[in-house]
Amino acid sequence: MKQISTNELRQMFLDFFETKGHNIEPSRSLVPVNDDTLLWINSGVATLKKYFDGTEKPNNPRIVNAQKSIRTNDIENVGFTARHHTFFEMLGNFSIGDYFKEEAIEFAWEFLTSDQWLNFEVDKLYVTIHPEDDESYHIWKDKIGIEESRIIRIEGNFWDIGEGPCGPNSEIFYDRGESYEGDTPREEMYPGGENERYLEIWNLVFSEFNHNSDHSYTPLPSQNIDTGLGLERLSSVIQNVPTNFDTDVFIPIINEIEKASRKTYRDNDKDDVAFKVISDHIRTVAFAIGDGALPGNEGRGYVLRRLIRRATRYAKELGINETFLYKLVDVVDDVMNAFYKEIGENKDFIKKVIQQEESRFLQTLDEGIEIYRTVKEKALKEDEVISGKDAFKLYDTFGFPVEMTVEYAEEDGLAVDLDGFKEEMERQRERARAARKSSESMNVQSETYQKLDKESIFTGYTHLNETAELLYIVSNDEVVNHYDGSNDVDVIFDKTPFYAVSGGQVADIGVIKNEHGTMEVKNVYKGPNGQNIHTVTVTEGVITTGETYELTVDRESRNFIIKNHTATHLLHQALKDVVGEHANQAGSLVEKERLRFDFTHLEGLKKEEVKEIERIVNEKIFDSLYVDINEMPIEDAKRKGAMALFGEKYGDIVRVVDIDQYSVELCGGVHVRNTSEIGLFKIISESGIGAGVRRIEAVTSKYAVEYYEDKDNVLEDVNTHLKVKSGNTISKLEQLIEDKKQLEKEVKSLKSELQKDALSDLTDATFDINGFNLIATEVSVDSVKELRETMDVIKSKNQESIIALISNVDGKVSMIVTVPKDKTSVVKAGDIMKQMAEVVDGRGGGRPDMAQGGGTNTENMSEALQIVKDYLNGF
C-alpha cells in the first residue's frame, strides 16, 4: 500500500477514472440548487439526480466526482466515534446506462490493488454481496480471483430508499488486523459487522430494478452504477491511523486547538471528544458559509448555529473562554485549498460570521450553564427529567439549542421532556402568529386554476401592446364566460405583454379593452400552469371570453421599472467590487419609484463605501454600456460567467442579461437596452434587516433628480435662515456651532456659581437624627449628570454627612444617596434608595456608600425624602 496524502488520494481517484473515459464533475455547492428535497448536499450522487432520473442527459454517461457533503442526522455522535462527521468528502464513479457490474467491480479492484495506483495487499481485502446476487459473486470469484472465503453474503446488501431505482450493492472491506479488535464481541467480528478491524472503504451500488408503488420490483430499462468511497475513511487506512481524526486533514486543525487550549490531543478521552468535535464542526461551518449559508433560527441556518454553539461549548471545556473558532478558518483553508478555493476566496467574510456568532453565544453561555445547573438540581430531586418548560427557557432565553441541553442531560444521567419542549415551541409560534399583522396573505391556488391549461405566451420583452384572445375569466373562484360586475376578477389571454410579478420585479399595470368593455390591470401573477394571470377591474361595459382585446402596458411605469431593474444588476456587481464577493443578493424589490436590494454582509457600510458603490454604478450609466439579453443552455451561461441568484430555480434554457461583461446574471426580468437610459443613480439609505443581511434603497432617473431637488430646496431654506449665500453654508454652521459651545460653557459656569450660592446655606436641609448628620433636600437640575455634580459639590464640604438629593428631571424623578464609608457598616445607601424608589413608583439601588434611582411619581418626592429620615430614626 502506498503512503500518500489525502490531497494526493483525491486526485489519484479522479485521474484513475478519467483514464477510464469518465468526465470529472466538479464538486458542487453544499446548498442544493433546484432541489427542495434536501437541506444539504449529502452524497456524491445528490448533485447527479437529474441524470439518474432521466430529466437531463449527460454529455458523457461515465462520470466521476469528489463531492463535499454534509450530514447532520447524528450530530450527537460526532466526537464520540472514530468516523462520524458532519462534513466529509465522498468520492464516486457513476455510469448512466453505460457499464454495469463487471466493469464497476473491475475498476474498483484495479484502483485499489494495481501497482500504478493504491497497491493494497490483496489478502487484506474482503467483499460483501447480496445473498441472491450470484452475478456479482461470480465476477468477484471467477474474474477478480478473490477466495470464496472472503466473499460474504449479507441480507442487508440491497440499496433501496422506497419507490424508484434500487438494486443490490457490493461493499469492499479492508482488514486492519487484530490490534483493532478491542472489546468487540466475537459475533460482530466479520466484514459488515460492528467493528473497527474490518473497515468498509467502498460501496458499489448496482441500480437494476425499479421499486414500484405496489412494492413489486421490475427491471429498469437502463442499468446504472452509483458508488461511494469516503475520502477521510480511506485516508485513515492508507495513513495507518486509528481514526479519521488522525489523518492529515484533521491533525493540522487539532494542532491549532492544542496551541490555544494548551492541552494535548490523545492525552485523555474527555479532551479528545472536544478536539474531534471542534475540528469536525469548523470544517462544516467554514465550507457551508463559503457556499452562501448563514447562521439563523431555521433550516440550514439553525444547523450552522447549532454547530458553532456546540463547538464553542467544547472549546470552553478545553479552557478556551474567548472567541476562537474563527481563527481555525485559516488552517482549514491551508489544508483544503489544493482542491477547494471557496474558503480562501471568502475567508474574511467566513471568519467574521463565525466570530460574530461565537461572541453572541459566549455572552449568554455562562449564564445559561448556571441556569442549566439549577434545572439539573431540580430534576435530580424530582423524577430525573428536565421539563419541556425548562428546556424551552434555556433555548429561548439563553440560546441553548435543545440538542445541547439533551447532551448535558445525558452526561448527568437525566432525560429531557422533548414533547413538552415541542409544545412550548408551538405555543411561542402561536403567539408570534397572533401578534403578526401582514398586509398580504398567502396566495393559495385553488383547484379551479389548476384546470386552466390553455397556453398563454408572454410577449412583453419586446412589446408593450398586444392583440389577444380572452381565454378565461375567474370570478369568486368560478370560471365564467361574461363579467360586468364591480369586484376584481382574474383573466387570462393567449398572449400578453404584461409582466407578472417575479424575481423582485413588480407587475405591470395598464389597460385592456375592446368595443364591448374596458379593464384596468391592477396586478399580474403566475398561475400554476405557467400563464400570466391578470387581476382586473371592469371599468366599462362587459368582458367576454373568446373575444379579442387590445392589451396596453402603462409605458411610463414600465420605463421606470426597467431602469431600476438594470440599476439593481449594476448595484449587485458594484457591491461585490467594493465589499467583496460574499455580498450576494438576499432579496430585492424593483418598483416604478425606487429599488430595494438586500445582500449578505455582516456590518453597516461605511460612508466612503456607499459613495464608491454609487460612483461605480453612475460611471457604468454614463459609459452607455450595451445590455445584451439572450437565451441559452444553462451550462453555456455558466461558462459565460453568469451569476445565478441564490435560491432561484432555473431551467435548462436560461435568459442571460449581460451588461458589457461588467455584470452577467441569469434573469427573467425586463431591462433597458443601454445603461444610459437609467440616467442617474442615488442611494438614499443603507440599513441592517437581520443577522448578516443589509438593505440598500435607491432611486434612479427622474426620481433621483427629484431627490436632489428636494435636498437643494432644503439647502436653500437653510441658507435663507442663516442669511448666507450658497457656498458659505458650512463655514456659517461651523461658526454657529462654535458660538453655541462658547455660550454653553458660559451658561454652565454661571449655573455652577448660582448652584454654589444656593448650596452655601443648607441649614434648613440639615438634620441630626440618632447621631447621624443628614442633608436631605430637593434640588433643581436639568439632568442626572448635573444631579451627580451637585452631590459632589455638597459632599466636598460635608464629608461626614449622609446626603440624599432628589430632583424632577424632565417630568421624572431622579435620586442619589451617599453614605460616608465609616458609617456603611450600619447605614447602607442601597437600602435607603430601594425604599425611596418604592415611594416614587420606580427602581433603585447601588453600593453601601452610593446609590442612585428614579421613578415616575413626582408628587411623592417630599415623601421620598421623609423615607430617609424615617430610616435613620429606626436605629
Side-chain angles (χ1 to χ4, degrees), residues 251-262:
I251 287 298
I253 304 172
I254 289 173
N255 288 342
E256 287 299 310
I257 302 170
E258 286 179 316
K259 292 176 187 175
S261 65
R262 297 181 181 178

PDB file of all heavy atoms in Angstrom, residues 251-262:
ATOM      1  N   ILE A 251      -5.448  16.646  11.639  1.00  0.00           N
ATOM      2  CA  ILE A 251      -4.365  16.890  12.597  1.00  0.00           C
ATOM      3  C   ILE A 251      -3.882  18.353  12.595  1.00  0.00           C
ATOM      4  O   ILE A 251      -3.651  18.924  13.665  1.00  0.00           O
ATOM      5  CB  ILE A 251      -3.192  15.913  12.360  1.00  0.00           C
ATOM      6  CG1 ILE A 251      -3.588  14.506  12.850  1.00  0.00           C
ATOM      7  CG2 ILE A 251      -1.926  16.375  13.070  1.00  0.00           C
ATOM      8  CD1 ILE A 251      -3.899  14.433  14.343  1.00  0.00           C
ATOM      9  N   PRO A 252      -3.726  19.018  11.438  1.00  0.00           N
ATOM     10  CA  PRO A 252      -3.320  20.432  11.497  1.00  0.00           C
ATOM     11  C   PRO A 252      -4.322  21.301  12.258  1.00  0.00           C
ATOM     12  O   PRO A 252      -3.926  22.241  12.964  1.00  0.00           O
ATOM     13  CB  PRO A 252      -3.241  20.838  10.021  1.00  0.00           C
ATOM     14  CG  PRO A 252      -2.973  19.558   9.288  1.00  0.00           C
ATOM     15  CD  PRO A 252      -3.751  18.524  10.041  1.00  0.00           C
ATOM     16  N   ILE A 253      -5.608  20.992  12.136  1.00  0.00           N
ATOM     17  CA  ILE A 253      -6.630  21.750  12.878  1.00  0.00           C
ATOM     18  C   ILE A 253      -6.511  21.438  14.365  1.00  0.00           C
ATOM     19  O   ILE A 253      -6.545  22.345  15.210  1.00  0.00           O
ATOM     20  CB  ILE A 253      -8.039  21.384  12.373  1.00  0.00           C
ATOM     21  CG1 ILE A 253      -8.156  21.624  10.874  1.00  0.00           C
ATOM     22  CG2 ILE A 253      -9.101  22.189  13.118  1.00  0.00           C
ATOM     23  CD1 ILE A 253      -9.447  21.105  10.248  1.00  0.00           C
ATOM     24  N   ILE A 254      -6.357  20.163  14.683  1.00  0.00           N
ATOM     25  CA  ILE A 254      -6.222  19.756  16.086  1.00  0.00           C
ATOM     26  C   ILE A 254      -4.982  20.384  16.711  1.00  0.00           C
ATOM     27  O   ILE A 254      -4.990  20.801  17.879  1.00  0.00           O
ATOM     28  CB  ILE A 254      -6.201  18.219  16.187  1.00  0.00           C
ATOM     29  CG1 ILE A 254      -7.605  17.667  15.878  1.00  0.00           C
ATOM     30  CG2 ILE A 254      -5.725  17.753  17.558  1.00  0.00           C
ATOM     31  CD1 ILE A 254      -7.691  16.157  15.774  1.00  0.00           C
ATOM     32  N   ASN A 255      -3.895  20.487  15.938  1.00  0.00           N
ATOM     33  CA  ASN A 255      -2.678  21.121  16.464  1.00  0.00           C
ATOM     34  C   ASN A 255      -2.926  22.569  16.868  1.00  0.00           C
ATOM     35  O   ASN A 255      -2.400  23.063  17.878  1.00  0.00           O
ATOM     36  CB  ASN A 255      -1.557  21.061  15.427  1.00  0.00           C
ATOM     37  CG  ASN A 255      -1.003  19.651  15.265  1.00  0.00           C
ATOM     38  OD1 ASN A 255      -1.193  18.793  16.124  1.00  0.00           O
ATOM     39  ND2 ASN A 255      -0.321  19.402  14.156  1.00  0.00           N
ATOM     40  N   GLU A 256      -3.737  23.277  16.082  1.00  0.00           N
ATOM     41  CA  GLU A 256      -4.063  24.668  16.410  1.00  0.00           C
ATOM     42  C   GLU A 256      -4.905  24.736  17.682  1.00  0.00           C
ATOM     43  O   GLU A 256      -4.742  25.661  18.491  1.00  0.00           O
ATOM     44  CB  GLU A 256      -4.819  25.326  15.250  1.00  0.00           C
ATOM     45  CG  GLU A 256      -3.961  25.650  14.046  1.00  0.00           C
ATOM     46  CD  GLU A 256      -2.837  26.622  14.383  1.00  0.00           C
ATOM     47  OE1 GLU A 256      -3.128  27.666  15.002  1.00  0.00           O
ATOM     48  OE2 GLU A 256      -1.675  26.330  14.041  1.00  0.00           O
ATOM     49  N   ILE A 257      -5.793  23.764  17.853  1.00  0.00           N
ATOM     50  CA  ILE A 257      -6.614  23.726  19.067  1.00  0.00           C
ATOM     51  C   ILE A 257      -5.732  23.440  20.277  1.00  0.00           C
ATOM     52  O   ILE A 257      -5.929  24.006  21.366  1.00  0.00           O
ATOM     53  CB  ILE A 257      -7.720  22.663  18.941  1.00  0.00           C
ATOM     54  CG1 ILE A 257      -8.594  22.948  17.712  1.00  0.00           C
ATOM     55  CG2 ILE A 257      -8.593  22.639  20.195  1.00  0.00           C
ATOM     56  CD1 ILE A 257      -9.563  21.825  17.361  1.00  0.00           C
ATOM     57  N   GLU A 258      -4.729  22.581  20.093  1.00  0.00           N
ATOM     58  CA  GLU A 258      -3.774  22.297  21.184  1.00  0.00           C
ATOM     59  C   GLU A 258      -3.064  23.565  21.620  1.00  0.00           C
ATOM     60  O   GLU A 258      -2.909  23.829  22.820  1.00  0.00           O
ATOM     61  CB  GLU A 258      -2.751  21.264  20.719  1.00  0.00           C
ATOM     62  CG  GLU A 258      -3.290  19.841  20.610  1.00  0.00           C
ATOM     63  CD  GLU A 258      -2.231  18.859  20.125  1.00  0.00           C
ATOM     64  OE1 GLU A 258      -1.496  19.195  19.170  1.00  0.00           O
ATOM     65  OE2 GLU A 258      -2.137  17.765  20.696  1.00  0.00           O
ATOM     66  N   LYS A 259      -2.632  24.377  20.645  1.00  0.00           N
ATOM     67  CA  LYS A 259      -1.919  25.624  20.981  1.00  0.00           C
ATOM     68  C   LYS A 259      -2.805  26.569  21.783  1.00  0.00           C
ATOM     69  O   LYS A 259      -2.365  27.186  22.758  1.00  0.00           O
ATOM     70  CB  LYS A 259      -1.452  26.325  19.698  1.00  0.00           C
ATOM     71  CG  LYS A 259      -0.365  25.589  18.939  1.00  0.00           C
ATOM     72  CD  LYS A 259      -0.051  26.309  17.630  1.00  0.00           C
ATOM     73  CE  LYS A 259       0.910  25.500  16.774  1.00  0.00           C
ATOM     74  NZ  LYS A 259       1.132  26.139  15.449  1.00  0.00           N
ATOM     75  N   ALA A 260      -4.074  26.679  21.363  1.00  0.00           N
ATOM     76  CA  ALA A 260      -4.983  27.615  22.027  1.00  0.00           C
ATOM     77  C   ALA A 260      -5.380  27.135  23.417  1.00  0.00           C
ATOM     78  O   ALA A 260      -5.556  27.936  24.337  1.00  0.00           O
ATOM     79  CB  ALA A 260      -6.227  27.821  21.168  1.00  0.00           C
ATOM     80  N   SER A 261      -5.530  25.821  23.566  1.00  0.00           N
ATOM     81  CA  SER A 261      -6.008  25.268  24.841  1.00  0.00           C
ATOM     82  C   SER A 261      -4.885  24.883  25.791  1.00  0.00           C
ATOM     83  O   SER A 261      -5.122  24.684  26.982  1.00  0.00           O
ATOM     84  CB  SER A 261      -6.868  24.035  24.576  1.00  0.00           C
ATOM     85  OG  SER A 261      -6.081  22.994  24.002  1.00  0.00           O
ATOM     86  N   ARG A 262      -3.678  24.748  25.226  1.00  0.00           N
ATOM     87  CA  ARG A 262      -2.522  24.261  25.998  1.00  0.00           C
ATOM     88  C   ARG A 262      -2.800  22.868  26.567  1.00  0.00           C
ATOM     89  O   ARG A 262      -2.302  22.503  27.641  1.00  0.00           O
ATOM     90  CB  ARG A 262      -2.155  25.243  27.114  1.00  0.00           C
ATOM     91  CG  ARG A 262      -1.721  26.602  26.582  1.00  0.00           C
ATOM     92  CD  ARG A 262      -1.340  27.551  27.665  1.00  0.00           C
ATOM     93  NE  ARG A 262      -0.948  28.848  27.113  1.00  0.00           N
ATOM     94  CZ  ARG A 262      -0.599  29.905  27.844  1.00  0.00           C
ATOM     95  NH1 ARG A 262      -0.587  29.806  29.160  1.00  0.00           N
ATOM     96  NH2 ARG A 262      -0.278  31.038  27.265  1.00  0.00           N
TER      97      ARG A 262
END
